[in-house]
Amino acid sequence: MNPTIVIPTYNEAESILGTIEEIFRHAPEDVRLLIVDDQSPDGTADIVMNTFSVHPRVAVIRRENARSFAQSYLEGFRAALADPATEAVLEMDADLSHHPRYLPALLEALKTHDIVIGSRYVPGGDISNFSWHRQIISRAANTYARVLTRLPFRDITAGFIGYRRPILEAIPFDAIQSDGYGFQIEMKHYAHKAGARFKEIPI
């Protein structure tokens, strides 16, 4: 499927190498990584570049514009889609909160769906590693967003996602206005509007 995983980073020096190692341990050999670093003061980009300087499956983008979670992802998406060989693009965090052991299931589901969401709120999903305070906020935010948008996704703020190329190309990146969790909701809105076949798998 020639997938590219886009990972935005900001001060991830302590976790990024371990995350990359876990991805390589769990993901197929055709998976490529695109690290999009948002001017990390702790040298995250340098650590990745020094460690994987000649690795054919790892590339680094150093952002120069104002720090932005959403724009980091969009810059990574554009770069991934610039390669005509890329058939799918995934997004995930750099700190193992999105564990790479779920990548095979996401990639398998992408064979028959346009967007696959690693979901905490479908049967088999779990947020027990969250503090009780964070659990309440997460559940309330998801419920509120689902009611407000009427989107059919159970985990509407999820950030562990895979897109097939055609549906990602159908999303108007220049129209994206939000950042943070709002960015994740807006991306799902445009994917759903474009008629995406979707699936949520438990994480």
Side-chain angles (χ1 to χ4, degrees):
M1 181 173 280
N2 290 323
T4 295
I5 301 175
V6 176
I7 304 177
T9 57
Y10 182 78
N11 285 348
E12 308 286 356
E14 293 185 2
S15 63
I16 189 60
L17 295 185
T19 297
I20 293 174
E21 290 172 3
E22 284 295 306
I23 291 173
F24 284 161
R25 187 150 72 95
H26 292 280
E29 292 186 358
D30 62 346
V31 167
R32 292 166 294 174
L33 306 183
L34 183 55
I35 310 300
V36 184
D37 188 70
D38 215 352
Q39 305 179 57
S40 295
D42 70 353
T44 300
D46 291 332
I47 290 171
V48 177
M49 294 187 73
N50 291 339
T51 306
F52 297 98
S53 59
V54 294
H55 200 291
R57 295 171 60 190
V58 180
V60 176
I61 293 176
R62 295 177 184 265
R63 294 197 69 243
E64 298 180 356
N65 296 325
R67 185 182 171 199
S68 167
F69 174 82
Q71 292 305 316
S72 291
Y73 265 128
L74 294 175
E75 197 165 329
F77 292 161
R78 290 186 179 99
L81 293 173
D83 182 349
T86 301
E87 298 175 271
V89 179
L90 291 82
E91 59 170 276
M92 63 186 294
D93 289 344
D95 60 0
L96 292 179
S97 57
H98 300 150
H99 202 283
R101 66 176 173 269
Y102 298 109
L103 285 171
L106 263 74
L107 291 167
E108 182 64 27
L110 276 174
K111 294 178 180 178
T112 53
H113 296 80
D114 299 306
I115 175 174
V116 179
I117 300 168
S119 178
R120 300 158 292 183
Y121 300 116
V122 294
D126 186 41
I127 58 170
S128 61
N129 60 319
F130 286 12
S131 67
W132 67 268
H133 184 257
R134 189 179 175 195
Q135 288 188 42
I136 291 173
I137 292 174
S138 180
R139 290 186 183 278
N142 264 281
T143 300
Y144 175 76
R146 286 174 60 202
V147 170
L148 190 66
T149 64
R150 299 183 181 181
L151 290 173
F153 311 110
R154 295 293 298 275
D155 196 342
I156 198 168
T157 61
F160 193 8
I161 306 171
Y163 299 91
R164 291 184 66 90
R165 183 187 189 102
I167 205 67
L168 195 57
E169 290 179 326
I171 295 175
F173 293 164
D174 290 341
I176 299 290
Q177 299 181 29
S178 50
D179 214 332
Y181 289 120
F183 165 74
Q184 302 294 3
I185 298 170
E186 198 168 358
M187 287 288 293
K188 293 179 183 68
H189 160 74
Y190 281 115
H192 184 254
K193 189 176 180 180
R197 300 166 299 163
F198 74 92
K199 182 174 184 177
E200 292 184 81
I201 65 169
I203 63 169

